[in-house]
Amino acid sequence: MTLNSEDIKQRLTVDEIVDKIVPDRPNWVLCLLFLAAIPSMNTPAKIFVTIFAGHVPYNEWRCVSHRCAVAVGNATIYNRDVLCGHHELEVEVDFVWKSERSSYALDWGLYCDDEYKLPIINSFFFIGACLGLLCSTAIFDRVGRKYGALIGTAIGTVGSLSGLVVSGYTTLLLLRIVQGFGQFITFTGVYCWAVEFAPSHLRNPASAGTQVLWSCGYIAIVCCSYVIKEWRLIFLAAAILNVVTAIPLIFLPKSPRFLLVQGKEEEAKR
């Protein structure tokens, strides 16, 4: 069905007008909603990227000095308690890591007494997320949900790519804020687009589909981290995932609700 002058005269609500504009073809609409929800996979991927990139392999080290051998004594299992219980041990002098996987925690010495910094790195993502949520309304009202989500994707991609050159703890904290800021603009834009494009009787499936694809992001980052052993390349993989999953957004129509609120009825009908 299409919007006509009689509909406008009846002063229909935005929901009722959207129901008339969007074709009554559930399979077609659900396909578009699925494509629009794909970028939501990046949210858990970005949240957990630091967990895999900053893992501390406490069971993968060995002594290389007499002092370490004496300190460890007859321990048969090397773990965190054994290593961190002897503060005088120095990496590369008394012990070495045996892990095949690199980690910024090992590169920057963020283990034992400094291990508390690791969850701080992860939590800074949500500072950016809060800022992104606060700014998203103004962005969406100006450029729409679709282009707002693409702007968020660009910001989040830059934040992830910066992981290739990040040089220290403080810099990574700032990077995490940028990642959270961009990603939650993207997620909010995608969610709003899906809910606003969907006719009222398909709104619940649209919302649920977004959350299902969110869950798929956990699988994606776990698989990437299992294959990739260099921590900087995990950030690169997150950036690539960000770009690839945003491609469907380019081809999606603008939100009919946004166009109607902007007074662009003719464009909304198309």
Side-chain angles (χ1 to χ4, degrees):
M1 300 180 67
T2 59
L3 184 67
N4 52 49
S5 58
E6 189 64 29
D7 295 326
I8 299 174
K9 291 178 182 179
Q10 294 174 7
R11 295 183 179 274
L12 299 179
T13 66
V14 173
D15 280 341
E16 291 170 333
I17 294 174
V18 169
D19 287 345
K20 286 178 172 290
I21 291 175
V22 178
D24 188 18
R25 290 181 286 175
N27 293 336
W28 180 82
V29 174
L30 288 174
C31 181
L32 283 180
L33 294 175
F34 173 79
L35 292 176
I38 289 176
S40 63
M41 293 174 57
N42 293 307
T43 306
K46 282 196 175 66
I47 292 174
F48 286 96
V49 65
T50 49
I51 292 179
F52 297 101
H55 172 65
V56 182
Y58 280 116
N59 61 335
E60 298 184 58
W61 59 277
R62 62 182 177 85
C63 289
V64 293
S65 72
H66 177 71
R67 180 171 62 172
C68 177
V70 172
V72 171
N74 297 323
T76 56
I77 299 177
Y78 284 7
N79 54 28
R80 185 187 186 282
D81 292 338
V82 174
L83 177 63
C84 299
H86 303 281
H87 301 284
E88 72 279 5
L89 300 182
E90 299 179 30
V91 65
E92 301 297 339
V93 175
D94 298 304
F95 72 95
V96 294
W97 298 103
K98 298 191 300 179
S99 176
E100 296 180 355
R101 298 180 179 276
S102 66
S103 165
Y104 61 73
L106 304 187
D107 291 349
W108 303 337
L110 304 181
Y111 49 85
C112 291
D113 290 344
D114 288 329
E115 190 177 1
Y116 72 92
K117 295 180 179 180
L118 296 179
I120 294 177
I121 292 174
N122 206 42
S123 64
F124 262 57
F125 177 91
F126 296 99
I127 295 177
C130 290
L131 295 175
L133 290 172
L134 291 173
C135 296
S136 61
T137 300
I139 295 174
F140 298 149
D141 287 346
R142 179 172 293 273
V143 301
R145 287 65 165 146
K146 170 183 173 179
Y147 292 118
L150 288 172
I151 290 172
T153 296
I155 296 172
T157 301
V158 171
S160 294
L161 286 175
S162 299
L164 293 171
V165 296
V166 64
S167 57
Y169 174 71
T170 303
T171 309
L172 185 55
L173 292 179
L174 297 176
L175 182 153
R176 292 294 283 165
I177 293 177
V178 174
Q179 286 182 320
F181 181 79
Q183 185 55 41
F184 267 77
I185 290 177
T186 299
F187 176 73
T188 307
V190 166
Y191 185 83
C192 289
W193 187 97
V195 172
E196 292 178 1
F197 183 85
S200 56
H201 65 286
L202 291 178
R203 201 154 290 162
N204 285 337
S207 178
T210 302
Q211 303 306 317
V212 169
L213 284 171
W214 169 301
S215 301
C216 293
Y218 293 108
I219 300 174
I221 191 61
V222 169
C223 292
C224 288
S225 301
Y226 180 79
V227 174
I228 300 172
K229 297 182 179 181
E230 168 58 47
W231 70 264
R232 293 185 187 274
L233 296 182
I234 297 178
F235 280 96
L236 176 60
I240 294 174
L241 181 66
N242 207 29
V243 173
V244 171
T245 56
I247 292 176
L249 289 176
I250 300 173
F251 304 100
L252 294 176
K254 294 180 180 179
S255 165
R257 182 188 296 265
F258 169 72
L259 293 174
L260 289 170
V261 172
Q262 295 292 315
K264 301 177 181 178
E265 290 87 357
E266 291 300 320
E267 187 175 352
K269 286 189 290 184
R270 297 194 294 269

